[in-house]
Amino acid sequence: MKTTLNINDVLLTQAKALAAQQHTSLTRLIEEGLQLRLRAQAAPPKSVRLPVFRGKGGLAPGLDGLSNKALYDTADHDA
């Protein structure tokens, strides 16, 4: 199918140079770019399994686990 696109001059020049370098057509380069974007949009996000520590131990006695400053200060002193 033929269509008309308005493409930034600099972007078009770069695309033509890349197509020539890769020995392909500008049409094919644009099609590949569109396919990549459409696939990325359609792909469901991958679920990530986070590790859970089930060992013994915990926070040092007297350390407030809800205070970022307390955790940072303690980590800074341990280093």
Side-chain angles (χ1 to χ4, degrees):
M1 171 191 290
K2 288 189 175 195
T3 190
T4 302
L5 298 172
N6 291 321
I7 300 176
N8 175 286
D9 291 338
V10 174
L11 181 60
L12 182 60
T13 301
Q14 292 173 338
K16 285 180 179 181
L18 181 60
Q21 181 184 11
Q22 294 183 353
H23 305 291
T24 189
S25 67
L26 181 61
T27 298
R28 185 66 193 136
L29 187 71
I30 292 171
E31 286 175 346
E32 288 174 1
L34 285 171
Q35 287 171 351
L36 287 172
R37 287 296 301 257
L38 291 171
R39 269 190 242 133
Q41 178 124 6
K46 295 179 181 177
S47 63
V48 176
R49 186 177 173 103
L50 298 175
V52 177
F53 178 72
R54 300 193 189 282
K56 295 181 180 177
L59 296 176
L63 179 61
D64 180 7
L66 298 176
S67 167
N68 287 340
K69 182 176 178 353
L71 292 171
Y72 178 78
D73 289 343
T74 302
D76 193 37
H77 291 314
D78 288 346

